[in-house]
Amino acid sequence: MTTEVSGERLAGLARYGNVHLLDEVGSTNDYALGLAGKHQTAVVVGGRQTRGRGRFRREWFSDDASLTASLLLFTDSPGFPHPSFVVHLAGLALSRAVDETVGLPTQIRWPNDVLLEERKLAGILCEGRGSAVAVGIGLNLNQASFPEDLPDAVSMRMATGKEWNKFYVLENFLREMSASIEQTRSGDSAQVLADIKRRSATLHRRVEVRTLLRRHVGTVIDLDAEGRIVLRTDSGRLVVLGAGDVRRLI
Ligand code: BTN
């Protein structure tokens, strides 16, 4: 890996699973899920991804200016959060980790983006195989700018004028993720949901939501305990959605 990682930092990462550092990888999520048979948690960090993907199988570009990583977890331990909620815990953890790191407030754009200065800083893709779930994060770290066809993107460097160490940010994310899982496991999921709502860039907003089959327009009136949005459409219907692309209208 072109970025150097200190022994102390490596030991920090290793608290959360077996660490795999890869200069180049197809997709860190695929690599992580390939380790699932061992039934051991793992942290996979990639430099360049050649087949990185986002939601709805969109292409996802990553190079060394990004933090590209997957955390392999197992959902079959007692009290583990429901697999469909893991993406929301990851959004909360990443949002908190960035706030702590850069000292600027981030928001969560349902279901899986972290926004900084109202632009996309990071995306999360959770994929499962049996009881294994790969929590993949792609975070814009040290890019000086983005091409004009990505006007919605921002990096930590663009927002702060400083370069950041990807392993430092990753360790902060892993610590927050582990804390959110433990908080849910110990029965405090109501507080976790309240924290997610507080950081939501989507709740109480008028939005357009595109799902694979339909387009809905309305106001998001709630996030339910399963992490779905409750939308009151312009025709007054209530629609509960577990996936989709959200665009804020105001
Ligand atoms: C999205 O916004 O659509 C989610 C993007 C998730 C990208 C990350 S990068 C690490 C992991 N490996 C992948 O192939 N995708 C996720």
Side-chain angles (χ1 to χ4, degrees):
M1 177 146 304
T2 17
T3 314
E4 211 169 273
V5 53
S6 70
E8 196 185 338
R9 185 76 65 209
L10 205 51
L13 300 179
R15 285 207 292 269
Y16 304 96
N18 299 328
V19 180
H20 299 251
L21 305 179
L22 310 163
D23 277 327
E24 184 176 297
V25 58
S27 153
T28 54
N29 268 18
D30 288 341
Y31 191 96
L33 288 172
L35 302 168
K38 292 189 179 161
H39 210 282
Q40 289 174 356
T41 58
V43 179
V44 178
V45 191
R48 203 164 78 83
Q49 278 191 133
T50 54
R51 284 193 311 278
R53 59 177 177 275
R55 289 190 316 137
F56 303 116
R57 304 201 77 78
R58 290 182 197 124
E59 197 180 318
W60 181 269
F61 175 79
S62 327
D63 61 13
D64 257 323
S66 323
L67 166 59
T68 303
S70 299
L71 170 65
L72 183 69
L73 297 171
F74 293 88
T75 60
D76 53 0
S77 60
F80 196 91
H82 192 275
S84 67
F85 204 70
V86 172
V87 68
H88 304 291
L89 293 178
L92 176 63
L94 196 54
S95 172
R96 282 180 167 154
V98 174
D99 287 15
E100 282 161 28
T101 310
V102 301
L104 294 171
T106 55
Q107 285 193 299
I108 305 167
R109 178 167 61 195
W110 182 90
N112 70 329
D113 292 339
V114 174
L115 305 184
L116 180 59
E117 298 175 341
E118 310 233 332
R119 286 181 290 165
K120 180 160 173 167
L121 179 74
I124 298 166
L125 180 68
C126 290
E127 297 178 298
R129 182 179 299 169
S131 66
V133 56
V135 180
I137 61 171
L139 183 142
N140 301 327
L141 202 69
N142 289 325
Q143 291 88 349
S145 62
F146 287 98
E148 272 175 21
D149 60 337
L150 290 176
D152 180 42
V154 70
S155 70
M156 282 174 40
R157 176 175 167 192
M158 286 160 66
T160 62
K162 287 197 264 182
E163 293 212 17
W164 296 89
N165 179 300
K166 66 170 83 179
F167 299 103
Y168 173 54
V169 183
L170 177 60
E171 194 178 344
N172 287 346
F173 165 71
L174 294 170
R175 189 184 57 251
E176 290 294 346
M177 185 70 188
S178 164
S180 300
I181 291 171
E182 283 320 309
Q183 199 177 353
T184 311
R185 212 196 276 275
S186 63
D188 204 3
S189 48
Q191 183 57 50
V192 173
L193 185 61
D195 290 342
I196 292 172
K197 288 184 183 182
R198 198 168 318 117
R199 285 171 181 268
S200 176
T202 315
L203 187 57
H204 307 310
R205 297 297 182 140
R206 197 173 143 68
V207 296
E208 172 196 74
V209 188
R210 287 181 182 273
T211 65
L212 281 178
L213 300 175
R214 296 198 53 173
R215 171 180 175 270
H216 304 270
V217 175
T219 301
V220 179
I221 60 166
D222 201 8
L223 290 179
D224 74 10
E226 290 171 39
R228 300 174 301 184
I229 50 171
V230 183
L231 190 75
R232 188 187 302 284
T233 67
D234 288 352
S235 58
R237 271 189 320 129
L238 285 186
V239 182
V240 181
L241 296 168
D245 267 339
V246 170
R247 189 168 66 89
R248 236 159 61 177
L249 297 178
I250 44 171

